[in-house]
């Protein structure tokens, strides 16, 4: 929420308080101010000028030479803006003027013509052009013709204002308006305010020709005012700049008035073209099955019966509390306006916005709750402004349904001063408590043993005695509450073996160049669809968004989202990992909670960084396998790799990681279709079941002495059936010679098929390293060991030594 210092000062005496002081007072009272931003971002020496004459530049087709009156004197200024024309009143930066970004204006020569200043656009003045109409954001910033020439532009553009950026908690919907902030500051500063309690209805003869029917319980109150003779004029500059300060875009006069009143009173309004309302009747109802509406953003929306609409007897003309319909939009030809002010059910408005992916300022206020007491006053205030600025006149009194006054009553809460002091841990004088409530506009009556505090409807967050205690604490001042240390026996918990292993895994992966990420445990079925994980998704009862509505069943979609984000931001590649949980359920709902499986997921995506000795290259299967091997070795686990059949991995570039025949993890390159679905063209994924690794990991450290005797290598090329996996040869060699013998390493380093190799067979080249800690092995001993391995391979696989 943004708030204008000058707008607040219209209703409250802020003498002696700078914007920074005011921000400190608000923050100390629980309304955090994230930033205090002046609207003037460095404009100095810019005045108001009028273009008298425009002629082409003699040496440049796109430039023009202008004669500009800056209040009693004329200057010749070269300008390239497309909209410059005689008669325009615009900001003029004189020689010596300063503009945002450290720009200083000097007399300059453009192809033989001297320019004594610069005509300015809104962007050059440092204005946030996204909040201005398109015509004001492009070219020169055209000012009203009645501004005094030669005057400083800063006060006339209301740049002498400061904007507070407030970080409001969700329960403080009352502070989403100047009205609420004025009441809040009045209580904090203990200064009276001048904000009106209500606005009287405009004078109008007769009864309104508008008819209103409420056909849904989700709208307890609806008021409408018909206005005639409206002229769609230019929005006054002061209103444009005030909307800009509050972070709301100026659109046209009628819409700007409704937004202005919403910011002032906190009550959203909407204006319809009254001639577009069939039979002059407004119907508030639930949408019909299959009903469609084109909203003001030009999008056709498919509606459901859970959505509330504003309609006439023939069609829907708006989404209640969210966005109006294109078929009732105010346009240049509009002369009759139907102005709406209503109360809508906040939960219904929120669901509609979520379902249609719409978000508006009005929706934000409705879903948090609006003050019933402001519905009529906001309507009257907007009518007053449209009469004043658009030349319209009210036709009949406002139409109210139900016709009687709003039945919403203030909340009355029983309050004990003694209980409040005990709760806060400080003796707050009862007189001070009463003063806090009166400053907030709360009524206080003394009862037997307790007070009865009447909370106005503008504070829906106050519902219980504890809420009143909080009001006393923050207005009395948190600095008055003494700080005390809690004295509790604290014992260091026993170190968890699982946590120690997780730390070891994290530290090792970071040391090897992987980056740890933390992602949401919530996802969507659409995000998991490319990999089709087992089980059913566990849905959340109240998801925070459509993208986070189920518990995840796999880590790959989460890591792929991180990879996609990095690749989209020009990061060429990387290696990431996450220690997280998957939530597995065979059906949902079910009697038991879903199984929570803790896993380690790793993803290599894009290209390696490269170095002076190696060009960047795509990450491949062996990058991942090297890390998996090193991690298993760090945990003291010896594993084997077997072929696997994960459908979301490349069929020929994946493997299951097994220990004693039981899988503990897997790795593989993503299937091309899956990579395309996640916008990660080539990536390698690996996953370990941490619970299984914990049961296998050893904390014992086994070391070998530094070898004193040389190692010997023997390379064997054997012909085996094509379907035989190379891992089978490795396992057989270890079984034959034993782990405790002189065999130190077995590695397959080549595969060959072709000339000299029978059909249906392949040639595998295997290297064996032999070494003894006690002596140098003889050739005879090594030959004997090699022969034993060859016999074992021949017996088990029919392997033949290749000639």
């Amino acid at each position: 929420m943004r708030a204008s210092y000058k707008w607040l000062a219209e209703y409250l005496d802020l003498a002696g308080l700078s914007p920074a002081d005011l921000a400190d007072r608000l923050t100390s009272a629980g309304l955090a101010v994230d930033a205090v931003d002046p609207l003037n971002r460095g404009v100095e020496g810019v005045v108001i000028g009028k273009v008298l004459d425009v002629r082409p530049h003699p040496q440049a087709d796109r430039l023009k030479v202008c004669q500009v009156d800056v209040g009693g004197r004329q200057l010749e200024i070269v300008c390239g803006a497309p909209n410059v024309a005689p008669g325009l009143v615009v900001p003029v930066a004189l020689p010596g003027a300063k503009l945002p970004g450290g720009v200083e204006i000097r007399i300059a020569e453009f192809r033989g013509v001297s320019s004594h200043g610069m005509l300015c656009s809104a962007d050059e003045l440092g204005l946030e052009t996204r909040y201005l109409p398109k015509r004001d954001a492009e070219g020169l910033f055209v000012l009203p013709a009645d501004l005094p020439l030669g005057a400083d532009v800063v006060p006339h553009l209301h740049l002498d204002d400061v904007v507070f950026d407030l970080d409001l908690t969700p329960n403080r919907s009352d502070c989403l308006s100047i009205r609420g902030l004025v009441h809040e500051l009045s209580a904090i500063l203990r200064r009276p305010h001048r904000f009106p309690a209500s606005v009287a209805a405009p004078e109008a003869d007769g009864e309104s020709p508008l008819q209103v029917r409420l056909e849904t319980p989700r709208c307890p109150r609806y008021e409408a005012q018909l206005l005639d003779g409206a002229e769609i004029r230019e929005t006054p500059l002061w209103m444009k700049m005030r909307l800009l300060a509050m972070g709301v875009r100026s659109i046209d006069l009628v819409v700007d008035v409704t937004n202005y009143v919403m910011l002032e009173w906190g009550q959203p309004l909407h204006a319809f073209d009254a001639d577009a309302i069939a039979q002059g009747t407004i119907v508030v109802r639930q949408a019909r099955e299959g009903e469609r509406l084109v909203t003001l953003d030009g999008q056709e929306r498919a509606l459901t019966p859970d959505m509330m609409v504003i309609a006439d007897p023939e069609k829907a003309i708006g989404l209640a509390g969210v966005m109006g319909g294109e078929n009732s939009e105010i346009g240049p030809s509009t002369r009759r306006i139907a102005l709406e002010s209503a109360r809508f059910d906040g939960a219904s408005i929120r669901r509609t916005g979520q379902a249609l992916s719409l978000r508006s300022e009005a929706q934000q206020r409705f879903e948090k709750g609006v003050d019933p007491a402001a519905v009529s006053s906001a309507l009257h205030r907007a009518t007053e402004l449209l009469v004043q600025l658009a030349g319209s006149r009210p036709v009949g009194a406002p139409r109210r349904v139900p016709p009687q006054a709003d039945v919403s009553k203030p909340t009355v809460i029983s309050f004990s001063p003694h209980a409040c002091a005990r709760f806060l841990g400080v003796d707050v004088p009862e007189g001070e408590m009463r003063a806090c409530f009166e400053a907030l506009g709360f009524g206080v009556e003394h009862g037997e043993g307790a007070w009865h505090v009447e909370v106005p409807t503008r504070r829906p967050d106050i519902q219980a005695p504890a809420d009143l205690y909080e009001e006393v604490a923050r207005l009395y001042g948190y600095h008055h509450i003494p700080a005390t240390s809690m004295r509790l026996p604290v014992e260091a918990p026993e170190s968890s073996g699982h946590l120690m292993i997780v730390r070891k895994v994290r530290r090792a992966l970071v040391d090897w160049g992987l980056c740890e990420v933390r992602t949401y445990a919530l996802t969507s079925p659409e995000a998991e669809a490319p990999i089709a994980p087992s089980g059913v998704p566990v849905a959340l009862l109240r998801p925070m968004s459509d993208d986070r509505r189920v518990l995840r069943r796999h880590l790959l979609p989460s890591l792929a989202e991180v990879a996609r984000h990095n690749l989209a931001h020009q990061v060429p590649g990387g290696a990431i990992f996450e220690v997280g949980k998957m939530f597995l359920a065979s059906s949902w709902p079910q009697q038991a909670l879903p199984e929570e499986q803790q896993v380690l997921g790793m993803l290599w995506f894009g290209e390696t960084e490269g170095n002076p000795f190696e060009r960047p290259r795509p990450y491949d299967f062996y990058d991942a396998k090297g890390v998996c091997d090193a991690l298993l070795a760090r945990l003291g686990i010896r594993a084997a790799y077997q072929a696997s059949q994960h459908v979301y991995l490349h069929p020929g570039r994946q493997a299951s990681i097994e220990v004693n025949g039981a899988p503990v993890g897997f790795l593989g390159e993503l299937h091309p279709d899956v990579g395309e679905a996640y916008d990660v063209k080539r990536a390698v994924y690996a996953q370990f079941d941490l619970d299984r690794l914990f049961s296998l990991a050893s904390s014992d450290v086994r070391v070998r002495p530094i070898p004193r005797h040389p190692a010997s290598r023997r390379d064997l090329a054997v012909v085996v059936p094509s379907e035989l996996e190379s891992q089978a040869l490795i396992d057989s060699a270890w079984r034959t010679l034993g782990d405790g013998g002189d065999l130190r390493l077995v590695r397959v380093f080549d595969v060959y098929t072709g000339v000299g190799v029978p059909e249906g067979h392949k040639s595998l080249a295997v290297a064996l390293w032999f070494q003894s800690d006690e002596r140098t092995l003889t050739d005879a001993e090594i030959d004997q060991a090699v022969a034993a391995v060859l016999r074992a391979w021949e017996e088990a696989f029919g392997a033949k030594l290749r000639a």
Side-chain angles (χ1 to χ4, degrees), residues 44-57:
E44 185 180 326
V46 180
V47 300
I48 299 169
K50 183 176 182 179
V51 180
L52 302 177
D53 180 61
V54 178
R55 68 179 189 273
H57 191 289

Side-chain angles (χ1 to χ4, degrees), residues 199-205 225 227 379-381 383-384 387 394 396-398:
V199 178
E203 294 183 3
D205 297 330
Q225 175 70 60
L227 297 106
L379 182 67
H380 301 161
R381 172 65 167 148
T383 302
E384 177 184 277
V387 169

Side-chain angles (χ1 to χ4, degrees), residues 70 88 110 120 136 241 341 360 492 548 607 611 645 648 661 690 697 762 782 790:
V70 291
L88 293 185
F110 294 90
C120 300
D136 290 338
M241 298 307 296
S341 183
S360 66
R548 311 287 179 194
E607 294 184 337
N611 55 59
Q645 298 296 327
Y648 52 88
L690 287 181
K762 61 184 176 182
I782 296 173
L790 286 172

